[in-house]
Amino acid sequence: MRGAAGGANLLALRSHNTALVLDLLRTAGAAGISRLELAERTGLTPQAVSKITARLRQDGLAAEAGRRASTGGKPRTVLRLVPEAGHAVGVHLDRDGLRAVLTDLDGTVVARRRAPLDLGAGAEAVLAQVAGAVEALWTGEGTAARARAPLGVGVALPGPLDHERGVLHRVTGFPGWDGFPLRDALAERLGAVPVVVDKDTNAAALGLAVGGEGGSFAYLHLGTGLGAGLVIGGSVHRGPRTAAGEFGHQVVQLDGPPCGCGDRGCVEALCLGAVERGETEEAARVLGVGAANLVGLLDIDRVLLGGRTVEAAPEVFVRGVQAVLDARARRTGDAPVPVRIASGGGRGIAEGAAHLVLAPVFGRGDG
């Protein structure tokens, strides 16, 4: 993707005041918003808003959306975001598959790709496949409308990893990735396109929060592994070492079966073991025990479930986890914490990965 045309400069878009204006333009939708309203809601001076919106219009990121009657004087011009003026790519790397999406500035998916993947095939093979998927999305149908390079590529995959540096740690079952600088290696392969790397569960949680899930919640993902994405007060919680959410490796049975992480009796090992034996209700009960620990520690508002294993028997998992949380609520006297399936299904992680790029553009610090 070297040599792709420039256009909207990511660093310029990330300026605080510009992000405030862009976010208001985005939330206003097609109806648009006036410069006076932008000034009132951001606290910026009308002159500052005029300069910012003029630059956004020059870059093609904002456009007139008509005129609105004024209480006095001439009608006000209202502005709207131009979603197709910028794009982001989101990539979900699972242990055995790849999903990739191309989204516009609104987060609307305009193209998708899906392919088998062997995460154990080695860095060179995996990087080549990811770069190929990104290139295919970008050079597919509609390239004439996408003359400028994407704002960035978000990559989500199983943890643990260092989100700040984009370096992988010992991915459960794939210790060969330990210490690999995925962000920098992929950015070098793609050229000038920025890359952001995060855990799959954090990406999914960010996508849910941006999509309207308010308050504090836990997204529990049970697929080829088990992890959690935590949103506290509307923002993704990663912790100072970006290690929060290693939910699957909390030990709940001291003499339990060995886990791929090297410990014994982890929730992940117990859950996946029960699934392999066909004991789905037992897997749901174990998942509920882990969820109850999170509820007790974090006092979250709700628990959202996802992942291919959950999606194969959604009612069983919702019922099983809810039963454990209800039993806990009866013991403590608290109100029961609701459990439901997360929106987005299997697409949620790739779309959330795109928001790792888009969220900072609109002033969200958890991208």
Side-chain angles (χ1 to χ4, degrees):
M1 195 167 289
R2 297 176 188 277
N9 181 284
L10 183 61
L11 294 178
L13 289 179
R14 283 184 173 179
S15 74
H16 177 67
N17 291 343
T18 302
L20 291 176
V21 171
L22 276 169
D23 191 46
L24 288 172
L25 289 171
R26 179 178 62 87
T27 54
I33 185 172
S34 71
R35 292 179 181 82
L36 180 60
E37 290 172 302
L38 287 171
E40 290 173 346
R41 296 187 190 183
T42 60
L44 299 172
T45 65
Q47 293 83 357
V49 168
S50 292
K51 288 181 180 179
I52 291 171
T53 55
R55 187 169 66 249
L56 292 176
R57 291 185 65 183
Q58 183 178 0
D59 287 339
L61 292 163
E64 285 192 12
R67 294 180 179 274
R68 186 179 300 162
S70 173
T71 55
K74 63 181 181 179
R76 297 175 187 165
T77 300
V78 293
L79 302 172
R80 63 173 180 85
L81 181 72
V82 180
E84 63 272 20
H87 294 82
V89 177
V91 180
H92 173 204
L93 299 180
D94 207 343
R95 292 171 171 85
D96 59 359
L98 175 153
R99 288 177 185 260
V101 298
L102 180 71
T103 74
D104 64 17
L105 289 177
D106 259 340
T108 301
V109 175
V110 297
R112 300 181 187 274
R113 290 188 69 84
R114 186 176 182 181
L117 173 78
D118 178 6
L119 197 58
E124 183 61 29
V126 172
L127 283 175
Q129 192 165 351
V130 173
V134 173
E135 292 281 358
L137 284 172
W138 195 248
T139 58
E141 295 181 6
T143 53
R146 300 196 295 265
R148 60 182 59 163
L151 296 176
V153 176
V155 181
L157 72 164
L161 53 80
D162 184 334
H163 166 67
E164 295 290 339
R165 298 189 301 129
V167 175
L168 306 189
H169 294 323
R170 194 166 297 226
V171 179
T172 305
F174 299 91
W177 283 100
D178 190 18
F180 185 78
L182 178 60
R183 182 192 67 191
D184 293 348
L186 183 58
E188 181 179 0
R189 187 174 288 256
L190 293 176
V193 180
V195 175
V196 185
V197 174
D198 205 350
K199 290 195 293 191
D200 47 11
T201 49
N202 286 344
L206 174 60
L208 290 166
V210 171
E213 285 286 351
S216 301
F217 63 87
Y219 167 73
L220 307 184
H221 184 91
L222 180 60
T224 57
L226 174 61
L230 306 175
V231 171
I232 308 297
S235 298
V236 176
H237 176 70
R238 296 184 176 91
R241 290 167 294 281
T242 69
E246 287 302 308
F247 170 82
H249 301 297
Q250 54 175 309
V251 175
V252 295
Q253 184 179 334
L254 294 178
D255 57 350
C259 180
C261 72
D263 215 328
R264 302 183 70 91
C266 294
V267 175
E268 178 176 296
L270 294 170
C271 268
L272 294 180
V275 171
E276 288 179 9
R277 297 190 301 271
E279 300 172 1
T280 309
E281 291 185 355
E282 172 63 10
R285 186 187 71 83
V286 173
L287 185 60
V289 170
N293 288 343
L294 275 185
V295 170
L297 285 170
L298 301 176
D299 193 24
I300 52 180
D301 300 318
R302 73 196 74 89
V303 172
L304 306 178
L305 306 180
R308 70 175 75 169
T309 303
V310 168
E311 290 164 8
E315 294 180 1
V316 174
F317 277 98
V318 170
R319 184 171 62 246
V321 173
Q322 189 71 71
V324 177
L325 295 185
D326 287 351
R328 178 188 181 277
R330 287 193 294 272
R331 292 193 304 271
T332 61
D334 297 328
V337 172
V339 180
R340 60 180 169 82
I341 300 297
S343 61
R347 307 180 305 274
I349 294 176
E351 293 176 19
H355 282 291
L356 292 170
V357 175
L358 295 175
V361 173
F362 296 103
R364 289 193 62 115
D366 50 5

